[in-house]
Amino acid sequence: MPCSSSSSPTIISKCTIYPDQNSDTKSLKLSVSDIPMLSCQYIQKGVLLSYPPYSFDDLITFLQNSLSSALSFFPALAGRLSTDSDGHIHILCNDAGIDFVQAKAKHISLLNILSPDLDVPYCFKEFFAFDKLLSYNGHFKPLVAVQVTELSDAVFIGCTVNHSVTDGTSFWHFFNTVAEICKGDTSTNKKISNLPDFSRNTVFNSPAVLKFPSGGPKVTFSGDEPLRERIFHFSRDAILKMKYKANNGNLLERKGKQNNDSWKIVNGESNGGVLKNKTDEISSFQSLCAQLWRCVTRARKLPLTKTTTFRMAVNCRHRLEPRLHPYYFGNAIQSIPTIAPIGELLSRDLHWGADLLHKNVVAHDDNTVRKGIADWEREPRLFPLGNFDGASITMGSSPRFPMYNNDFGWGRPLAIRSGRANKFDGKISAFPGKEGNGSVDLEVVLSPETMARIEQDEEFMQYVS
């Protein structure tokens, strides 16, 4: 049987890990992309690994040394938040350290927790520290906590990071670096593959101030409603089928434009029948998102006259001109909302919804990013995370993140899982599939009623493997 809330791990020890070198970076100001995340809970993501080929005590030592070395390259993560007299919030890179927790759950095995046909077991929520902690609390708490839990035949390494300090790109950059150091040389002279960029002279740097009530912000969603959580796996072939369907929708309607190379269909299995001009091509991920949007909206049994919103987080590093450094450290994300009448989304084909998502993503260029920043500066505000009208979906994370590139010395992860943080009805997280090659895992969080209907939806489930 899957593990339950009664099978919590036992905490063996807690300690503080400090950087093995003193920081030369003194202070980093939070940007207009960082500040809205102060009302979000810390990011919680982790890797499930097979049991190491040495003792668990040795693993703890190796991980502690690797974290200490990695923090020297990421001094911001060993710091604390501080608000100055003008209301600007900074990361003080004061080498205050991070939390490290050792836990044991020998009663839990891989067989208990990796069934693809069941909900994600509750015990994964217990494999992370700082449960439900808001990022604003980085003023008083460490910005990172790592919990290592020993199972009967596996190990789970859960990393919890303040969301106002990192987005997904920076989170996985740090995680990958820890794994890289653990796998190889952990000396202080270790050179890592990709150094973080701590520059703050970017378009995201702003004199605007967001004022907070005494005690800081509150979470923007309840977090108390009953929820179910499942991992749905989509193979490369299944996603290519959705992509082909999305790009070939309304084909007869557009047949008169066949000679226009901006949309001309290229036949052939190798490219999935995609469009010649990449600007006009609906991507694999947009096709998958559109399929999910349609099926979840139908399963919610909402009035057809109501509107539904699909909100997608996008990385702005490569959208700006000039581009930000690919390893710019911090948040460099914006949210793209796509709104549609429910009746039209459900009555039209997959192409219609996918094309809406596609056009919004393509339009989010340098000019759009800068307009979003200017809009926030006129009205500084927190990010409204949640499903306020019961008709929204929020897509987070990315199948492009190098989650399975975390080999700590004895092989790639068996699975990627997350904690309880920032979850509500309609929160979806995208992970790469374990086999790679364009496969995707969607971590889907829905009300029990909606989830039950999704599981019976043939249009959706035909693509799930």
Side-chain angles (χ1 to χ4, degrees):
M1 292 293 291
C3 53
S4 66
S5 57
S6 62
S7 55
S8 299
T10 301
I11 302 301
I12 304 300
S13 66
K14 293 182 181 181
C15 67
T16 301
I17 305 294
Y18 301 97
D20 62 9
Q21 298 181 62
N22 293 331
S23 172
D24 293 328
T25 306
K26 299 307 176 188
S27 175
L28 297 170
K29 184 181 173 186
L30 294 191
S31 75
V32 300
S33 189
D34 298 322
I35 295 170
M37 302 300 172
L38 287 164
S39 62
C40 295
Q41 295 164 347
Y42 279 49
I43 301 172
Q44 293 179 321
K45 297 287 192 301
V47 296
L48 182 66
L49 301 161
S50 61
Y51 207 88
Y54 41 74
S55 74
F56 192 74
D57 288 341
D58 284 343
L59 171 62
I60 293 299
T61 300
F62 294 151
L63 287 175
Q64 289 175 337
N65 290 339
S66 301
L67 283 164
S68 179
S69 180
L71 289 172
S72 294
F73 296 103
F74 293 82
L77 294 179
R80 299 291 185 271
L81 299 183
S82 177
T83 301
D84 65 23
S85 58
D86 294 323
H88 297 294
I89 301 176
H90 302 256
I91 308 168
L92 295 183
C93 303
N94 57 4
D95 301 322
I98 69 171
D99 278 8
F100 184 88
V101 180
Q102 178 183 348
K104 184 174 291 190
K106 299 281 281 186
H107 55 287
I108 298 173
S109 69
L110 292 174
L111 186 63
N112 299 138
I113 59 177
L114 281 186
S115 172
D117 300 322
L118 300 174
D119 289 7
V120 176
Y122 179 89
C123 55
F124 278 110
K125 311 296 182 285
E126 305 291 322
F127 295 164
F128 296 89
F130 290 171
D131 194 35
K132 296 186 178 180
L133 188 67
L134 292 194
S135 292
Y136 187 85
N137 286 289
H139 284 82
F140 325 107
K141 297 276 191 178
L143 302 180
V144 177
V146 174
Q147 178 175 319
V148 185
T149 305
E150 180 183 15
L151 312 182
S152 66
D153 53 358
V155 170
F156 191 86
I157 302 176
C159 189
T160 305
V161 180
N162 191 295
H163 206 336
S164 71
V165 175
T166 67
D167 59 10
T169 298
S170 292
F171 176 97
W172 288 108
H173 183 197
F174 173 68
F175 209 125
N176 292 161
T177 300
V178 175
E180 176 187 3
I181 295 173
C182 189
K183 184 178 181 179
D185 179 15
T186 59
S187 71
T188 57
N189 295 321
K190 168 76 176 175
K191 291 185 188 265
I192 62 174
S193 297
N194 300 297
L195 288 169
D197 175 64
F198 293 110
S199 61
R200 286 298 184 262
N201 57 338
T202 75
V203 66
F204 288 111
N205 188 31
S206 170
V209 172
L210 176 60
K211 296 182 179 179
F212 295 95
S214 176
K218 305 296 183 185
V219 67
T220 58
F221 58 94
S222 74
D224 296 326
E225 69 269 31
L227 297 170
R228 285 184 57 193
E229 178 181 333
R230 272 196 65 175
I231 303 290
F232 291 104
H233 177 71
F234 300 87
S235 69
R236 178 179 182 273
D237 287 345
I239 292 175
L240 285 179
K241 288 177 183 177
M242 283 182 270
K243 180 178 181 178
Y244 183 86
K245 187 176 179 181
N247 279 294
N248 285 276
N250 291 336
L251 188 58
L252 292 177
E253 189 177 306
R254 297 181 291 156
K255 196 170 182 180
K257 302 176 184 176
Q258 272 188 345
N259 293 326
N260 184 342
D261 282 344
S262 69
W263 78 273
K264 186 177 178 183
I265 301 296
V266 181
N267 293 317
E269 186 176 327
S270 63
N271 57 29
V274 298
L275 304 176
K276 181 173 282 188
N277 187 325
K278 289 295 183 182
T279 301
D280 282 353
E281 177 187 330
I282 297 170
S283 74
S284 299
F285 190 59
Q286 291 157 8
S287 305
L288 174 58
C289 287
Q291 187 67 70
L292 179 77
W293 191 15
R294 282 169 51 84
C295 294
V296 169
T297 300
R298 181 167 54 237
R300 282 174 165 166
K301 301 288 187 181
L302 298 166
L304 298 182
T305 54
K306 191 179 177 73
T307 59
T308 173
T309 302
F310 193 100
R311 189 175 290 275
M312 185 184 302
V314 294
N315 183 1
C316 297
R317 289 169 176 82
H318 62 285
R319 298 175 188 275
L320 284 164
E321 298 175 7
R323 294 186 173 197
L324 291 185
H325 192 285
Y327 292 103
Y328 166 83
F329 182 87
N331 286 276
I333 54 175
Q334 288 181 338
S335 179
I336 302 178
T338 302
I339 302 171
I342 289 177
E344 193 158 14
L345 178 69
L346 299 184
S347 64
R348 305 292 288 268
D349 62 8
L350 179 64
H351 166 79
W352 190 84
D355 194 49
L356 284 181
L357 296 174
H358 168 72
K359 286 176 177 175
N360 259 353
V361 171
V362 170
H364 208 86
D365 56 9
D366 174 78
N367 187 51
T368 310
V369 173
R370 293 174 187 272
K371 282 182 178 178
I373 292 170
D375 178 62
W376 189 90
E377 289 178 319
R378 284 190 297 270
E379 185 188 352
R381 57 201 178 275
L382 296 166
F383 183 67
L385 194 62
N387 180 8
F388 306 104
D389 62 358
S392 297
I393 293 174
T394 297
M395 175 66 72
S397 198
S398 170
R400 294 184 176 181
F401 288 156
M403 302 182 188
Y404 281 94
N405 294 3
N406 287 294
D407 183 348
F408 286 81
W410 66 96
R412 286 159 53 87
L414 304 173
I416 308 298
R417 292 292 184 267
S418 66
R420 202 187 331 254
N422 301 312
K423 289 184 176 174
F424 48 85
D425 177 22
K427 175 64 187 300
I428 318 294
S429 294
F431 305 154
K434 181 185 175 184
E435 70 269 29
N437 197 31
S439 62
V440 175
D441 285 341
L442 290 185
E443 178 192 78
V444 178
V445 180
L446 294 169
S447 72
E449 298 80 12
T450 304
M451 184 70 82
R453 294 187 190 113
I454 277 286
E455 292 170 332
Q456 300 301 316
D457 189 312
E458 293 183 4
E459 182 185 335
F460 182 75
M461 294 302 293
Q462 67 176 316
Y463 298 112
V464 177
S465 57

